[in-house]
Amino acid sequence: MFRPFLFRRLGPLLLEATHRRYAGAHQRMVQFRLPAERLNDLKERLSKGDGPPGESEWNEIRRSILDERRFTSTNVDSTVLGLCRDLTTGKSYVEFLRSKGIALNLAIVGKLLRLYRIQTGGGGLSGVDQDDIVKIYEELRASNPVLDGNTCEHLIVALTLTERWRLSFDLLDMIKLAGTPDSLTYSCLIERCFQEGEIETGWQLLEEQAANKRLPNDEVFLAWLNHCRKDRGNFRSNLEKMLS
């Protein structure tokens, strides 16, 4: 049942948001120590509209980052994926790694999963993309009975874009074993609950999010407003519930 004090809890967080940033699709990117000119060149190349780099250019990009002292074969590939601004480019780099026999560690997989969420801003995911997300989930669960919190968050952000989104609840419980889910994780799951008509579950998660001092993103409120529009008979009371 909805509790009126929910938005009294959210009020201070909304004010605090101008000074504090919660984890999201872009917040966890590596802080590069590449020369500024080189970094800008890489960003520009990977955001061009003429398609992702080919094999030789991926080789050159990877090598140039490895030449920097702080980068190793362990972290270079997640770093490159962190520079990718769209799913097509990210998947191209992953295919390049596979062609070279380079194993995908959890950091690489996590960056790839976040790109699926970014892709939805450009028109949504195809059925193939959704199947790929579920396949990644199944492979990770098969080899890791319990996943770390960061990997669970990456998976939830992507799984909530698929028809198998309810798998996210088990992952949410895993995160809580050792920590607190971040804002984007809560928001993606709450948004999907509202979209699917699982209203009580969505509000329970929203209360939990507020209690944990995690700020909902705009999509949560938009999803609730869309629900209000569909439930026209209770439109006024639903709006009042949000503002109580």
Side-chain angles (χ1 to χ4, degrees):
M1 181 178 178
F2 173 74
R3 296 184 176 87
F5 59 77
L6 171 61
F7 279 88
R8 288 198 291 273
R9 287 185 177 180
L10 288 176
L13 293 180
L14 293 170
L15 293 174
E16 187 182 357
T18 57
H19 305 289
R20 179 178 179 182
R21 297 180 64 85
Y22 289 96
H26 304 289
Q27 190 176 347
R28 294 183 175 182
M29 292 180 63
V30 173
Q31 298 299 312
F32 294 98
R33 293 179 183 173
L34 294 170
E37 183 177 355
R38 176 59 178 153
L39 178 57
N40 290 333
D41 287 344
L42 287 173
K43 287 182 176 180
E44 182 179 355
R45 173 62 189 93
L46 294 176
S47 62
K48 282 184 177 179
D50 55 352
E55 180 178 344
S56 61
E57 193 167 4
W58 279 131
N59 261 321
E60 194 279 328
I61 290 171
R62 189 174 191 269
R63 181 196 56 76
S64 69
I65 295 177
L66 276 173
D67 285 343
E68 298 297 320
R69 182 177 300 177
R70 68 168 296 196
F71 295 104
T72 68
S73 58
T74 301
N75 61 21
V76 62
D77 299 311
S78 62
T79 297
V80 175
L81 272 176
L83 283 169
C84 297
R85 284 295 180 266
D86 61 79
L87 181 59
T88 300
T89 305
K91 290 173 76 172
S92 170
Y93 187 66
V94 168
E95 287 305 312
F96 162 76
L97 294 177
R98 286 172 173 157
S99 73
K100 298 297 182 182
I102 299 173
L104 305 184
N105 59 34
L106 290 178
I108 298 171
V109 173
K111 289 290 177 66
L112 177 63
L113 287 168
R114 294 279 174 160
L115 287 174
Y116 283 100
R117 171 63 58 170
I118 294 172
Q119 178 70 15
T120 58
L125 295 181
S126 67
V128 172
D129 286 335
Q130 293 186 41
D131 290 343
D132 286 344
I133 292 170
V134 175
K135 183 179 179 181
I136 291 172
Y137 165 82
E138 291 174 342
E139 289 176 348
L140 288 176
R141 289 303 306 271
S143 57
N144 302 276
V146 178
L147 295 165
D148 67 274
N150 285 342
T151 301
C152 289
E153 288 176 346
H154 296 321
L155 281 167
I156 290 172
V157 165
L159 276 171
T160 46
L161 300 171
T162 76
E163 295 302 314
R164 302 285 301 280
W165 66 276
R166 289 179 180 82
L167 294 169
S168 301
F169 289 106
D170 284 343
L171 297 171
L172 194 71
D173 289 338
M174 284 189 199
I175 298 171
K176 294 175 186 177
L177 292 175
T180 302
D182 69 5
S183 293
L184 184 64
T185 301
Y186 271 123
S187 294
C188 289
L189 191 49
I190 295 166
E191 177 190 1
R192 191 61 193 260
C193 285
F194 288 163
Q195 290 172 344
E196 296 295 327
E198 298 195 10
I199 305 306
E200 288 300 319
T201 301
W203 278 108
Q204 288 169 8
L205 287 171
L206 189 55
E207 289 185 8
E208 182 181 307
Q209 181 176 18
N212 287 326
K213 297 185 178 181
R214 298 292 193 256
L215 184 65
N217 62 20
D218 294 345
E219 283 71 21
V220 169
F221 299 102
L222 291 174
W224 179 248
L225 288 173
N226 284 333
H227 167 73
C228 293
R229 292 170 60 188
K230 293 176 183 178
D231 186 15
R232 294 188 177 185
N234 297 303
F235 183 83
R236 183 183 180 88
S237 61
N238 283 333
L239 281 182
E240 289 175 348
K241 177 186 288 191
M242 175 180 286
L243 300 173
S244 297

